[in-house]
Amino acid sequence: MTLTPQQGQDYLTEHGIPQVIESIMIGLLHERPEDPLTFMQSCIEDTKRIGGTKHVKWDSFVPSSPVSSIFPSILGPDIFKTEIPQMTNQEYGQLSTTDHEHIEQEASSEKTTSGAMGSKTIVFVIGGPGSGKGTQCERIVKKYGFTHFSSGDLLRAEVASGSSRGEELKAMMGRGDLVPLETILKLIKDNIASQPDSKGFLIDGYPREVQQGIEFEKVVGSCTFVLWVDVSQDTMVKRLLKRGETSGRVDDNEETIRKRLKTFVDSTEPVIKYYEEQNKVKRVDSERDVETVFADVEKIFDNLQ
Ligand SMILES: Nc1ncnc2c1ncn2[C@@H]1O[C@H](COP(=O)(O)OP(=O)(O)O)[C@@H](O)[C@H]1O
Ligand SMILES: O=c1ccn([C@@H]2O[C@H](COP(=O)(O)OP(=O)(O)O)[C@@H](O)[C@H]2O)c(=O)[nH]1
C-alpha cells in the first residue's frame, strides 16, 4: 500500500507518537543515561502504564521536572512538525525565564524532602468531586491523628492570599480544569515539610492524574495506599449542588460540576487503575451515610496500627 506523506503524518499524530518521541528525547538530554536504550524502553513501559500516549507530557520522562527551558530550544520547535508538548494547561510555556530558573532550583531542593519522609504513612485520598473525601478525612484526623492536606483547600488558600498566581488559579478551578502539576505539588510538599513530627499524611484530592502521583513519589515519598472514596456520578452531582447552596465555591455549579466529573473520568480514574496494578487501592462505598462509610474506613486504618 502506498502511503502519502500526509497519511504517514496523520497516522503518527493520531497515535501521539511525535509527542512521546520528543518527550523521550527531552528525558535523554536531561538524564544522559549510560544506557539510552534501556532508558527509552522504560519510557515506553511508563507510557503504557499511565494509560497511553495521550497522557505523556513534554517533561514526563524528566525526574523532578520541570527542567530548564533550554530543552525545547535545543530540540527546536518543529521536530516532527508538531508543537513541543507543554506542561499541563500550557502553564510552563507562559512563565518567564526567571520563573523557570526558580522552579528548577525548587525542583532540586524538592529531592531532599524524600529522605526525610522515612517510613511515614502517606495516604492518597481519591474520589470524584463531592464523593465525601473531605468528610471522611475529617473523621480520620479526629480518630487517628493524621495530618490532612486537601489539595483543593491549599489552592483556595493560595487564591485567597491574593498572590500573583491567585487569579489564574481561580480561573482554572472555576472552569473545572486541573492546575499545573508543579503548582499543586509545591504547595503539598511545602506543607508536608512544615510538619516534621507528623505520624502520617492524608493527601486529599491528589493525585488527580497519574503523572502527579509519579512526581510526588519521586520528590516526597512513597504512597502507602490509596483510599478510594467511590460513589455514583448521580450522587456526586446531588451532593455538590446541595453543598453549593452554602459553600460559596466558584466550582459548585451545574456547568463546572459536569466539567469536573469529566476531568475525574478522563484524568483521575487512570490513577486508580495505576495504583490498583500495584495492589495499593482500598475502596470504600460512599453511597451510604457518613457513619456507615466511616465504619469501613476505620477497618482500613485499624489495620495500619
Ligand atoms: N456519605 C455521605 N452521605 C451524604 N452526604 C455526604 C456524605 N459524604 C459527604 N457528604 C456531603 O456531600 C458533600 C460533599 O462532600 P465532601 O466531603 O465535601 O466531598 P469532597 O471532599 O469529595 O469534594 C458535602 O456537603 C458533605 O456534607
Ligand atoms: O490536585 C489538585 C486539586 C484540586 N485542583 C483544582 O481544584 C478544584 C477543586 O478541588 P477539590 O479537591 O477541592 O474539590 P472536589 O472537586 O474534589 O470537591 C478542582 O476541580 C481543580 O480545578 C487541581 O487542579 N489539582
Side-chain angles (χ1 to χ4, degrees):
M1 191 187 86
T2 334
L3 193 68
T4 65
Q6 187 57 49
Q7 283 170 327
Q9 181 72 46
D10 290 349
Y11 170 82
L12 294 174
T13 309
E14 187 189 332
H15 293 277
I17 306 300
Q19 283 83 344
V20 174
I21 291 180
E22 282 173 10
S23 307
I24 292 175
M25 288 170 72
I26 289 168
L28 280 168
L29 287 174
H30 187 259
E31 291 300 292
R32 294 183 289 282
E34 288 209 350
D35 179 356
L37 290 180
T38 302
F39 179 88
M40 289 162 73
Q41 188 177 17
S42 78
C43 294
I44 301 282
E45 278 158 12
D46 280 351
T47 303
K48 284 161 91 174
R49 210 171 47 234
I50 64 177
T53 54
K54 65 176 187 293
H55 298 290
V56 171
K57 308 246 170 14
W58 74 268
D59 58 351
S60 287
F61 308 123
V62 177
S64 51
S65 62
V67 297
S68 161
S69 55
I70 60 166
F71 290 114
S73 62
I74 287 175
L75 291 174
D78 58 359
I79 285 189
F80 302 109
K81 304 225 173 342
T82 63
E83 286 178 13
I84 292 291
Q86 299 293 301
M87 80 185 203
T88 317
N89 298 338
Q90 303 184 339
E91 278 297 306
Y92 189 64
Q94 287 164 15
L95 299 178
S96 68
T97 311
T98 323
D99 284 339
H100 288 165
E101 280 163 8
H102 177 68
I103 291 170
E104 202 182 344
Q105 279 163 10
E106 289 291 336
S108 37
S109 74
E110 272 163 3
K111 288 185 179 153
T112 55
T113 312
S114 183
M117 286 306 288
S119 58
K120 276 188 187 161
T121 304
I122 298 179
V123 182
F124 289 152
V125 184
I126 302 185
S131 55
K133 303 181 293 294
T135 304
Q136 294 301 323
C137 283
E138 202 182 308
R139 282 165 177 71
I140 298 167
V141 169
K142 262 195 204 127
K143 177 149 185 192
Y144 300 97
F146 277 58
T147 306
H148 171 219
F149 294 122
S150 152
S151 52
D153 286 350
L154 294 177
L155 289 168
R156 282 183 285 277
E158 184 68 21
V159 171
S161 76
S163 76
S164 55
R165 304 273 346 257
E167 279 307 306
E168 274 176 79
L169 296 176
K170 187 176 173 187
M172 289 175 208
M173 293 165 80
R175 289 193 299 268
D177 289 336
L178 294 181
V179 311
L181 188 162
E182 293 70 23
T183 306
I184 183 63
L185 182 54
K186 177 168 168 27
L187 285 173
I188 295 174
K189 189 203 76 138
D190 288 352
N191 277 276
I192 285 180
S194 74
Q195 302 280 333
D197 299 328
S198 174
K199 64 187 269 197
F201 297 93
L202 295 174
I203 313 295
D204 164 5
Y206 184 98
R208 295 292 240 254
E209 54 185 358
V210 173
Q211 196 60 29
Q212 289 188 348
I214 293 172
E215 292 300 321
F216 180 102
E217 294 197 275
K218 266 185 210 156
V219 302
V220 181
S222 172
C223 147
T224 313
F225 69 90
V226 172
L227 180 65
W228 173 21
V229 183
D230 187 21
V231 84
S232 69
Q233 293 212 357
D234 278 357
T235 303
M236 289 189 229
V237 173
K238 279 188 201 128
R239 287 183 187 168
L240 287 173
L241 289 175
K242 181 92 192 110
R243 186 174 77 184
E245 289 171 12
T246 52
S247 68
R249 279 178 51 166
V250 288
D251 54 354
D252 278 350
N253 62 73
E254 226 168 321
E255 195 189 334
T256 313
I257 289 169
R258 262 200 305 278
K259 180 68 203 302
R260 286 155 71 197
L261 287 172
K262 183 169 166 19
T263 304
F264 175 70
V265 171
D266 292 348
S267 303
T268 313
E269 284 187 350
V271 177
I272 297 169
K273 191 162 166 264
Y274 175 74
Y275 285 103
E276 264 171 348
E277 282 163 7
Q278 301 175 34
N279 285 323
K280 282 194 172 179
V281 175
K282 297 180 193 296
R283 173 185 172 273
V284 286
D285 174 6
S286 182
E287 210 62 60
R288 302 155 307 155
D289 66 84
V290 173
E291 294 312 327
T292 311
V293 180
F294 188 60
D296 279 357
V297 170
E298 281 176 311
K299 284 181 206 147
I300 296 169
F301 281 80
D302 284 345
N303 274 333
L304 268 184
Q305 308 293 309

